[in-house]
């Protein structure tokens, strides 16, 4: 009997999460450079081939939920109501990303803290983090511009998104670096969001 799409997707998510959790444990114990893809796969009780069905490279495990988070924000922007202003839409999109960081396990599972710590000392991860940040910022700016074609040009949309994403990311990084717990990091992200919100046009 063939598996239903729902069951296949559930198994895929569980395997992906098992790989993330295994990688976190190994990185914490042996350091990033001391862990191989084969070790991560073995710890998750899957094959190396299965690892590469979920992630292109070892560093991508540390960004396991990033693409989903950006997709959620883009969807939130696309859902703009006729009476909503750019600031309203950007705030909702940002809040959705913060909620996903909480619900998706980045904060509670220790992935966010590990990512920040390793990125500070591993040049390859620093480069990957910057690449993903710039890509996400450009995608969100493009979505905001498309949602408000008569009100925002490329520069304004990019500036609004850059201010918001930059503030939230910087607040999260500062909180993680001083050892705050998941709830405190989430609150710091919301503080960053609210600080920018006060300066956004009504």
């Amino acid at each position: 009997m063939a598996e239903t799409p729902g069951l296949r997707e559930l198994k895929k998510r569980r395997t992906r999460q098992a790989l993330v959790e295994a990688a976190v444990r190994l990185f914490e114990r042996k350091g990033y450079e001391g862990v191989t893809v084969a070790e991560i796969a073995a710890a998750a009780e899957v094959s190396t081939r299965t690892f590469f069905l979920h992630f292109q490279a070892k560093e991508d495990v540390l960004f396991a939920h990033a693409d989903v988070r950006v997709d959620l924000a883009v969807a939130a922007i696309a859902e703009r109501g006729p009476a909503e202003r750019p600031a309203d839409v950007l705030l909702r999109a940002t809040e959705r990303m913060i909620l996903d960081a909480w619900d998706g396990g980045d904060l509670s599972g220790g992935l966010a803290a590990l990512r920040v710590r390793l990125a500070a000392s591993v040049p390859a991860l620093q480069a990957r983090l910057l690449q993903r940040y710039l890509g996400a910022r450009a995608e969100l700016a493009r979505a905001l511009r498309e949602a408000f074609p008569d009100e925002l040009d490329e520069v304004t949309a990019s500036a609004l998104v850059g201010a918001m994403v930059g503030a939230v990311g910087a607040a999260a990084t500062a909180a993680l670096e001083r050892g705050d717990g998941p709830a405190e990091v989430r609150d710091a992200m919301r503080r960053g969001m609210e600080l920018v919100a006060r300066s956004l046009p009504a």
Side-chain angles (χ1 to χ4, degrees), residues 8-91:
R8 284 197 298 271
E9 182 60 29
L10 180 60
K11 290 176 70 174
K12 181 179 177 181
R13 289 179 186 175
R14 285 175 176 168
T15 299
R16 187 178 178 88
Q17 187 58 33
L19 286 165
V20 171
E21 291 172 0
V24 168
R25 290 194 304 270
L26 288 167
F27 291 156
E28 290 279 13
R29 191 169 76 244
K30 301 179 65 176
Y32 177 78
E33 300 291 355
V35 177
T36 66
V37 166
E39 287 177 300
I40 296 171
E45 299 182 340
V46 300
S47 67
T48 302
R49 179 178 177 276
T50 298
F51 176 95
F52 286 114
L53 291 175
H54 292 270
F55 301 104
Q56 292 183 8
K58 182 173 71 171
E59 62 264 26
D60 290 326
V61 179
L62 293 168
F63 304 96
H65 308 297
D67 292 339
V68 171
R69 195 159 301 134
V70 173
D71 290 344
L72 288 171
V74 169
I77 293 171
E79 293 165 4
R80 66 155 291 199
E84 285 189 304
R85 308 299 300 152
D88 302 322
V89 172
L90 187 54
L91 281 169

Side-chain angles (χ1 to χ4, degrees), residues 122-137:
V122 181
L125 288 178
Q126 290 179 345
R128 190 64 166 155
L129 185 62
L130 179 60
Q131 180 187 38
R132 282 187 169 272
Y133 168 75
L134 293 175
R137 191 179 67 185

